[in-house]
Amino acid sequence: MTEKSKIGTFLFKSESYLADFRGQMTLPMLGNYLLEVASRHAAERGFGYNEMTERNTAWVLSRLAIEIEEYPRMDDEFYIKTWVEEVNKLFTTRCFEILSKEEKILGYARSVWAAIDIETRKPTILDRERLKEYISDKECPIDNPGKILAIEEESGFTSYIVKYSDLDINGHLNSIKYIEHLLDLFDISMFEKSQINRFEIAYMAEGRFGMELNLYNKEIKENQYNMAITNNNKAICRASVRWTK
Amino acid sequence: MTEKSKIGTFLFKSESYLADFRGQMTLPMLGNYLLEVASRHAAERGFGYNEMTERNTAWVLSRLAIEIEEYPRMDDEFYIKTWVEEVNKLFTTRCFEILSKEEKILGYARSVWAAIDIETRKPTILDRERLKEYISDKECPIDNPGKILAIEEESGFTSYIVKYSDLDINGHLNSIKYIEHLLDLFDISMFEKSQINRFEIAYMAEGRFGMELNLYNKEIKENQYNMAITNNNKAICRASVRWTK
């Protein structure tokens, strides 16, 4: 297999009706595009949603880290490249490179996925031999998503109840909606004077319709915030955000 | 000008990551596509965002009615056609037809727009002569958006504070987010057993970051609900929803 067919390249246009008040793409919207290219890249190589369903399994996003220097602006065309970096017994790592139309590198992302059994919702052992064929040695020069320290006991919280618009096709809180609700904890002044330079999230449990969530946010050092969402005092995700001027 | 160039036709694919728990496109997402084709159709004919900005004006959506028999499902391709139906002194009416890839009609929509002065936020007089060139007599066989009776005094409410993810490029509550927050007032069981067959909304004032909103919903007859959003006891929009089994 050539390097080229291991790496998928996808062209998008940043639609104006999805831009934020600064006229640029939001981080959750960028996350949507990353999941979309992950899904298409996998489907084109025979390990997408349909093939996984046939084996009674589904991909579940476990961790995601995004580092971005410059966000696409409204009406900009941009590329996302994606490739498989690593395959272990239970997890596979997929990377992304985000580029302008002129192929200037805007940022990178790294995601960690498990395959779960649809009935039991427990992890299954990956088909390493088959997935390994697609591993590319293209570089993804950002830190791995790592351990995020809990801040729930040191911070106030905002409550939220999971609604219809939050649900994905499995009836669970959509992976990107975790991010949207967390970023909504920041005051508008943060978005006016700074940019999110790195965002990472660890998904720990599934949210469901009507679930009562508590959302936490704490500045742990200058421009660096740890966040969490809990249900019944148990974290369903933790996240970390680094802002730059 | 031929009929063909008056009517714009746009092809989309309903992305799986935007599907709801039933695997179908949400009504707010359909609304996003309608605004997108309105914007593109106008830009291609010289009265889009940029041309309006040059004259210190902007299009503002005043009313929207959507009637849909069948929603596109995830991964479906579908068409939206759009055309100008009418131009008055202060308002212009734009219609939409939504079709499957096989050109089966799925639904229609009708929208009413005003052009406001960017500084004063007051309506301006439309360039009727120029806009009239684009009027098409293609039929849009659904009722006009009409007067929606207030139900705020007869109903409980849910509170909501406008957040970063709600804002559009003008820093106002995004037109589609009004719809998303209103539909989130319905219990999941409504979406499980029925579909929204007609939705209409009248926009009355702009929402801004941090604004405290009250959201109201009242069944006025079987399967028909009137809704409203208020700020400081003044409605900023009213809506009406008809469900079918």
Side-chain angles (χ1 to χ4, degrees):
Chain A
M1 190 167 312
T2 64
E3 268 303 299
K4 185 156 177 281
S5 78
K6 292 180 180 176
I7 300 171
T9 303
F10 302 86
L11 177 66
F12 294 100
K13 184 165 181 284
S14 177
E15 303 294 358
S16 54
Y17 65 96
L18 295 173
D20 74 2
F21 73 94
R22 300 169 295 180
Q24 69 179 44
M25 184 183 295
T26 66
L27 187 95
M29 195 59 219
L30 177 60
N32 271 326
Y33 285 113
L34 299 181
L35 299 194
E36 174 68 11
V37 303
S39 158
R40 287 206 226 164
H41 179 270
E44 288 168 4
R45 284 155 189 81
F47 52 98
Y49 180 85
N50 291 336
E51 294 80 7
M52 294 295 279
T53 305
E54 279 167 25
R55 298 168 178 221
N56 221 30
T57 56
W59 288 117
V60 171
L61 181 59
S62 171
R63 285 166 183 270
L64 175 65
I66 301 173
E67 283 199 24
I68 187 144
E69 292 301 321
E70 192 183 330
Y71 289 76
R73 293 192 61 79
M74 61 180 276
D75 297 327
D76 281 356
E77 288 188 294
F78 63 100
Y79 291 102
I80 303 179
K81 295 188 188 235
T82 185
W83 64 95
V84 177
E85 185 183 46
E86 214 182 319
V87 184
N88 293 322
K89 194 173 159 192
L90 294 175
F91 293 101
T92 176
T93 306
R94 169 184 291 285
C95 294
F96 306 87
E97 186 180 61
I98 303 124
L99 304 110
S100 72
K101 188 73 196 295
E102 297 73 30
E103 305 202 28
K104 179 185 167 192
I105 294 169
L106 305 178
Y108 288 94
R110 179 176 280 116
S111 57
V112 179
W113 301 78
I116 61 163
D117 181 288
I118 294 172
E119 305 303 327
T120 66
R121 313 299 296 172
K122 296 257 194 281
T124 61
I125 292 181
L126 295 179
D127 184 351
R128 289 169 82 170
E129 291 316 307
R130 229 178 109 241
L131 292 172
K132 272 186 165 172
E133 285 177 46
Y134 296 98
I135 291 178
S136 161
D137 57 10
K138 183 172 166 65
E139 203 193 358
C140 183
I142 64 168
D143 286 344
N144 281 318
K147 184 161 174 61
I148 302 168
L149 291 179
I151 45 79
E152 298 97 278
E153 303 204 338
E154 313 154 37
S155 145
F157 62 84
T158 303
S159 295
Y160 183 78
I161 294 174
V162 179
K163 301 184 172 64
Y164 163 71
S165 66
D166 292 316
L167 303 181
D168 65 15
I169 183 146
N170 300 308
H172 300 132
L173 179 57
N174 179 314
S175 307
I176 299 304
K177 284 286 184 172
Y178 288 74
I179 305 177
E180 187 177 305
H181 295 311
L182 285 172
L183 297 186
D184 274 345
L185 295 178
F186 288 103
D187 189 73
I188 198 74
S189 60
M190 287 296 284
F191 295 93
E192 283 166 348
K193 68 183 185 204
S194 46
Q195 293 278 14
I196 296 172
N197 171 248
R198 180 179 166 95
F199 178 88
E200 74 172 272
I201 184 165
Y203 295 98
M204 298 154 76
E206 291 167 338
R208 289 166 190 280
F209 183 83
M211 201 180 250
E212 292 180 37
L213 305 179
N214 289 342
L215 288 80
Y216 299 83
N217 185 22
K218 185 173 196 292
E219 187 170 15
I220 53 162
K221 59 182 184 190
E222 201 182 354
N223 297 319
Q224 180 87 43
Y225 294 76
N226 279 7
M227 314 186 88
I229 304 180
T230 64
N231 167 247
N232 285 333
N233 299 315
K234 203 167 151 279
I236 67 163
C237 80
R238 292 212 175 88
S240 185
V241 188
R242 186 173 73 213
W243 294 81
T244 50
K245 299 288 173 203
Chain B
M1 190 166 316
T2 65
E3 269 302 299
K4 185 156 177 281
S5 78
K6 292 181 180 175
I7 300 172
T9 303
F10 301 86
L11 177 65
F12 294 100
K13 184 165 181 284
S14 176
E15 302 294 358
S16 53
Y17 65 97
L18 296 172
D20 75 1
F21 74 95
R22 300 168 295 179
Q24 70 178 44
M25 186 184 294
T26 66
L27 186 97
M29 194 61 220
L30 177 60
N32 271 327
Y33 285 113
L34 299 181
L35 299 195
E36 173 68 12
V37 304
S39 157
R40 286 205 226 165
H41 179 271
E44 288 168 4
R45 283 155 189 82
F47 51 99
Y49 181 85
N50 292 335
E51 294 80 7
M52 295 294 281
T53 305
E54 279 166 23
R55 297 165 177 223
N56 222 31
T57 55
W59 288 116
V60 170
L61 181 59
S62 171
R63 286 167 184 270
L64 175 66
I66 302 174
E67 284 199 22
I68 186 145
E69 293 300 322
E70 191 182 330
Y71 289 76
R73 294 192 60 80
M74 60 179 275
D75 297 327
D76 281 357
E77 288 187 295
F78 63 99
Y79 292 102
I80 302 179
K81 293 186 190 237
T82 184
W83 63 97
V84 177
E85 185 185 47
E86 214 181 319
V87 183
N88 294 322
K89 193 173 158 192
L90 294 175
F91 293 100
T92 175
T93 306
R94 170 184 290 285
C95 295
F96 306 88
E97 186 179 61
I98 303 125
L99 305 110
S100 72
K101 187 71 195 293
E102 296 73 31
E103 305 201 26
K104 179 184 166 193
I105 294 169
L106 305 178
Y108 289 94
R110 179 176 279 117
S111 57
V112 180
W113 301 76
I116 62 163
D117 182 289
I118 294 172
E119 306 302 327
T120 66
R121 315 298 295 173
K122 297 254 194 284
T124 60
I125 293 182
L126 296 179
D127 184 350
R128 289 169 83 170
E129 290 317 306
R130 232 179 107 241
L131 292 172
K132 272 186 165 170
E133 285 178 44
Y134 295 99
I135 291 178
S136 162
D137 56 10
K138 183 172 165 66
E139 202 195 357
C140 182
I142 64 169
D143 285 346
N144 280 319
K147 184 161 172 64
I148 302 167
L149 292 178
I151 46 79
E152 298 98 277
E153 301 203 339
E154 313 154 34
S155 145
F157 61 85
T158 303
S159 295
Y160 183 78
I161 294 174
V162 179
K163 302 185 170 66
Y164 162 71
S165 65
D166 292 315
L167 303 181
D168 66 16
I169 183 149
N170 299 308
H172 300 132
L173 179 57
N174 179 315
S175 307
I176 298 303
K177 285 285 184 173
Y178 289 74
I179 305 177
E180 186 176 305
H181 295 311
L182 286 172
L183 298 186
D184 274 345
L185 295 177
F186 288 103
D187 189 72
I188 198 75
S189 60
M190 288 295 285
F191 295 93
E192 283 166 347
K193 68 184 187 205
S194 46
Q195 293 277 12
I196 295 172
N197 171 249
R198 180 179 166 95
F199 177 88
E200 73 173 271
I201 183 163
Y203 296 97
M204 299 154 76
E206 290 167 337
R208 290 166 189 279
F209 183 83
M211 201 180 251
E212 291 180 38
L213 305 179
N214 289 341
L215 289 79
Y216 299 82
N217 185 22
K218 185 175 196 292
E219 188 170 14
I220 53 162
K221 60 182 184 190
E222 200 184 355
N223 297 318
Q224 180 85 44
Y225 293 77
N226 278 8
M227 315 185 87
I229 303 180
T230 66
N231 168 247
N232 285 335
N233 299 315
K234 202 168 153 281
I236 66 163
C237 80
R238 292 212 174 87
S240 185
V241 188
R242 185 172 74 213
W243 295 80
T244 50
K245 301 285 172 204

